[in-house]
């Protein structure tokens, strides 16, 4: 079935279906991202000159993994670096913000910048707690703490009235290269009764320095001193490899991208795909070239769609419902990636972005899908399974794409999508179709 199915529309975060399908097919579900520590070969007992942190686009590196990387230094008896911590993120180009991201200048974590060396999705956790009594400033805690952040705390504690806080992050102005910081500004009031505090997550401005200063703090906790500073550079060819951290397989990471609609991870994967397919430094252009080759293999020709980034932000990408279901069908029929791709999608009534949709109804746990939401845009694309129909053969899943653009509010679009998908789950073909020869997937589009 198709309605306006050849009309190019903004598919929002449904673009992540394209990114993950291409990455799984071209890199493989077993692909792992790595992050490595190097030191200069010439050294004295317990002392080296420089420490090098080299990244390869890991979208899931966290403070815990960075802490584990320092374990090998401790086991080798390293006590001091008389030089610098050098951050090597040359695996990516220098473009930090994805195409179309400039449409909105926001400090939200979902708009985090990219970097070959990245940490905690390039976001900082800010917890604001009241002071001990009315009057004193609020307490501001950062996780992870580091000298990379400058905190401007203008919030105060009150006993009466309401809690009203504004937390903002911005790039420090006029800082010399290599000394840039992210400024975290907290304003407003917090009641003394907010004993658990309030949590906020904000983007950082410089992924490489964020990771570098966090590593600096972790080394201090390990009892390893650094005489120099955090700087940018590249590890020399003869540097000694100390330890390497490998991420979870791409097939596992894809679940965060599609179930939780993680924009940062999608863009990291796209740039990594570019570096792996077309040589470093990875860039959006190279990643999109690799995706284009994958789509051509499915019969989707260049010029028939518009894709400028890997996450679906903002008013930029255009696909038709036919193209989306073609991608869904191609991934489902590729045995090498099918299980990982389908498992990456949210499960209706159970998890991800549709955990609370279609629950306790006929589609509960019978739908795997990806949502896409922007102002005036609501999309839902995926697969609709079916309950076992008594003694009849189980029909294969139906691929669907419901793209709704130009709506005043998305709630009605979501209700429409849910109703259509529930009808698909209940649908039984009058003809028996074997699993070896799946029925052609329906193509669904319901524009305003």
């Amino acid at each position: 079935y198709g309605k306006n199915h050849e009309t190019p529309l903004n598919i929002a975060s449904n673009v992540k279906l394209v990114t993950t399908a291409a990455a799984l097919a071209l890199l493989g579900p077993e692909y792992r991202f790595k992050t490595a520590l190097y030191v200069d070969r010439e050294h004295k007992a317990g002392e080296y000159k420089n420490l090098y942190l080299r990244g390869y686009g890991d979208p899931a590196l966290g403070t815990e993994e960075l802490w584990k990387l320092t374990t090998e230094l401790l086991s080798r008896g390293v006590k001091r670096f008389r030089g610098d911590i050098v951050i090597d993120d040359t695996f990516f180009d220098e473009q930090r913000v994805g195409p179309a991201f400039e449409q909105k200048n926001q400090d939200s974590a979902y708009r985090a910048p990219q970097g070959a060396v990245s940490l905690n999705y390039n976001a900082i956790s800010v917890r604001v707690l009241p002071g001990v009594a009315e009057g004193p400033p609020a307490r501001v805690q950062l996780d992870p703490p580091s000298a990379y952040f400058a905190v401007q705390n203008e919030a105060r504690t009150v006993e009466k009235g309401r809690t009203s806080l504004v937390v903002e992050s911005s790039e420090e102005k006029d800082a010399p290269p290599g000394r840039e910081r992210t400024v975290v500004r907290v304003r407003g009031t917090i009641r003394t009764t907010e004993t658990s505090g309030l949590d906020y997550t904000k983007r950082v401005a410089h992924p490489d320095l964020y990771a570098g200063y966090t590593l600096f703090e972790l080394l201090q906790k390990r009892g390893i001193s650094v005489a120099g500073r955090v700087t940018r550079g590249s590890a020399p060819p003869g540097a000694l490899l100390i330890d390497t951290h490998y991420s979870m397989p791409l097939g596992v990471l894809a679940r965060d991208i599609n179930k939780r609609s993680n924009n940062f991870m999608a863009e990291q994967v796209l740039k990594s795909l570019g570096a792996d397919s077309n040589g470093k430094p990875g860039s959006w252009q190279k990643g999109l070239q690799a995706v284009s080759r994958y789509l051509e293999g499915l019969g989707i020709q260049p010029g028939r769609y518009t894709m400028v980034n890997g996450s679906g932000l903002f008013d930029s990408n255009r696909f038709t419902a036919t193209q989306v279901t073609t991608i869904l069908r191609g991934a489902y029929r590729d045995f090498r990636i099918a299980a990982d791709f389908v498992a990456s999608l949210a499960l209706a009534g159970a998890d991800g972005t549709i955990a609370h949709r279609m629950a306790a109804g006929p589609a509960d746990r019978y739908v795997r899908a990806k949502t896409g939401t922007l102002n005036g845009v609501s999309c839902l694309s995926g697969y609709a399974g079916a309950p076992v129909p008594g003694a009849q053969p189980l029909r294969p899943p139906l691929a669907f794409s419901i793209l709704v653009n130009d709506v005043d509010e998305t709630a009605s679009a979501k209700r429409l999508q849910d109703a259509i998908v529930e009808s698909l789950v209940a649908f039984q073909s009058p003809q028996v179709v074997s699993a070896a020869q799946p029925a052609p997937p329906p193509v669904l589009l319901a524009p305003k």
Side-chain angles (χ1 to χ4, degrees), residues 42-70:
E42 295 183 6
H43 67 282
K44 298 187 296 185
E47 180 179 297
Y48 290 85
K49 183 181 179 182
N50 296 319
L51 175 65
Y52 304 91
L53 177 65
R54 174 182 287 174
Y56 293 86
D58 188 348
L61 186 74
T63 305
E64 182 180 356
E65 287 73 34
L66 204 58
W67 173 257
K68 290 178 180 177
L69 269 174
T70 65

Side-chain angles (χ1 to χ4, degrees), residues 267-314:
E267 303 297 352
Q268 287 284 110
V269 168
L270 182 61
K271 294 193 76 170
S272 296
L273 179 58
D276 186 86
S277 301
N278 298 304
K280 75 172 193 176
S283 66
W284 272 280
Q285 181 181 7
K286 290 179 180 179
L288 293 170
Q289 289 171 353
V291 171
S292 178
R293 292 194 294 270
Y294 171 73
L295 294 180
E296 280 192 78
L298 298 178
I300 302 175
Q301 300 302 318
R304 300 296 181 89
Y305 63 91
T306 301
M307 181 174 174
V308 302
N309 58 42
S311 63
L313 293 177
F314 287 91

Side-chain angles (χ1 to χ4, degrees), residues 141-161:
Q141 299 175 351
L142 302 184
D143 184 21
S146 82
Y148 168 69
F149 295 99
V151 177
Q152 297 179 354
N153 183 9
E154 304 167 16
R156 62 186 181 88
T157 308
V158 296
E159 287 188 359
K160 298 180 180 179

Side-chain angles (χ1 to χ4, degrees), residues 44-381:
K44 298 187 296 185
E47 180 179 297
Y48 290 85
K49 183 181 179 182
N50 296 319
L51 175 65
Y52 304 91
L53 177 65
R54 174 182 287 174
Y56 293 86
D58 188 348
L61 186 74
T63 305
E64 182 180 356
E65 287 73 34
L66 204 58
W67 173 257
K68 290 178 180 177
L69 269 174
T70 65
T71 300
E72 187 64 21
L73 293 172
L74 202 64
S75 65
R76 293 189 181 214
V78 178
K79 296 295 184 182
R80 182 173 184 267
F81 288 98
R82 63 181 186 276
D84 299 329
I85 295 178
V86 182
I87 307 303
D88 182 349
D89 71 342
T90 55
F91 190 68
F92 283 178
D93 66 3
E94 296 182 357
Q95 184 178 352
R96 296 294 192 192
V97 179
F101 278 50
E102 71 280 356
Q103 293 180 16
K104 292 188 178 181
N105 185 19
Q106 298 173 321
D107 62 358
S108 302
Y110 69 78
R111 194 179 164 273
Q114 312 303 137
V117 178
S118 292
L119 185 71
N120 301 325
Y121 309 125
N122 287 341
I124 181 68
S125 295
V126 183
R127 173 166 290 185
V128 184
L129 301 108
V132 293
E134 182 173 13
R139 293 173 291 155
V140 179
Q141 299 175 351
L142 302 184
D143 184 21
S146 82
Y148 168 69
F149 295 99
V151 177
Q152 297 179 354
N153 183 9
E154 304 167 16
R156 62 186 181 88
T157 308
V158 296
E159 287 188 359
K160 298 180 180 179
R162 64 189 183 93
T163 295
S164 178
L165 293 171
V166 176
V167 179
E168 302 167 315
S169 70
S170 61
E171 183 175 358
E172 188 177 37
K173 296 180 179 179
D174 302 324
R179 299 296 182 92
E180 302 97 334
R181 295 188 298 176
T182 288
V183 178
V184 177
R185 185 185 181 194
V186 183
R187 297 179 287 126
T189 58
I190 183 170
R191 292 191 61 173
T192 54
T193 53
E194 300 278 5
T195 54
S196 297
L198 298 174
D199 294 318
Y200 303 83
T201 305
K202 296 294 178 178
R203 73 190 293 273
V204 303
H206 314 95
D208 50 356
L209 298 180
Y210 173 41
Y213 277 101
T214 303
L215 177 59
F216 189 100
E217 293 289 331
L218 297 178
L219 290 172
Q220 298 294 320
K221 292 181 179 180
R222 288 287 199 188
I224 301 173
S225 63
V226 180
R229 61 188 182 90
V230 175
T231 186
R232 300 181 173 107
S234 58
L240 176 66
L241 176 64
I242 292 293
D243 198 12
T244 303
H245 166 74
Y246 290 93
S247 72
M248 296 293 287
L250 178 59
V252 175
L253 297 179
R255 300 177 187 178
D256 264 352
I257 298 174
N258 285 333
K259 284 181 181 290
R260 296 176 50 234
S261 202
N262 191 305
N263 297 310
F264 167 78
M265 294 182 71
E267 303 297 352
Q268 287 284 110
V269 168
L270 182 61
K271 294 193 76 170
S272 296
L273 179 58
D276 186 86
S277 301
N278 298 304
K280 75 172 193 176
S283 66
W284 272 280
Q285 181 181 7
K286 290 179 180 179
L288 293 170
Q289 289 171 353
V291 171
S292 178
R293 292 194 294 270
Y294 171 73
L295 294 180
E296 280 192 78
L298 298 178
I300 302 175
Q301 300 302 318
R304 300 296 181 89
Y305 63 91
T306 301
M307 181 174 174
V308 302
N309 58 42
S311 63
L313 293 177
F314 287 91
D315 184 14
S316 54
N317 304 282
R318 296 292 187 273
F319 284 83
T320 69
T322 296
Q323 291 167 343
V324 176
T325 52
T326 297
I327 294 164
L328 291 168
R329 179 167 48 190
Y332 189 84
R333 289 180 172 178
D334 187 344
F335 186 80
R336 300 168 301 169
I337 69 170
D340 295 279
F341 182 76
V342 175
S344 75
L345 304 180
L347 186 59
D351 67 12
T353 54
I354 54 173
H356 303 294
R357 291 177 61 175
M358 296 169 276
D364 189 358
R365 301 179 64 87
Y366 282 104
V367 172
R368 293 271 186 178
K370 177 75 193 75
T371 57
T373 306
L374 292 169
N375 289 337
V377 176
S378 179
C379 304
L380 186 70
S381 301

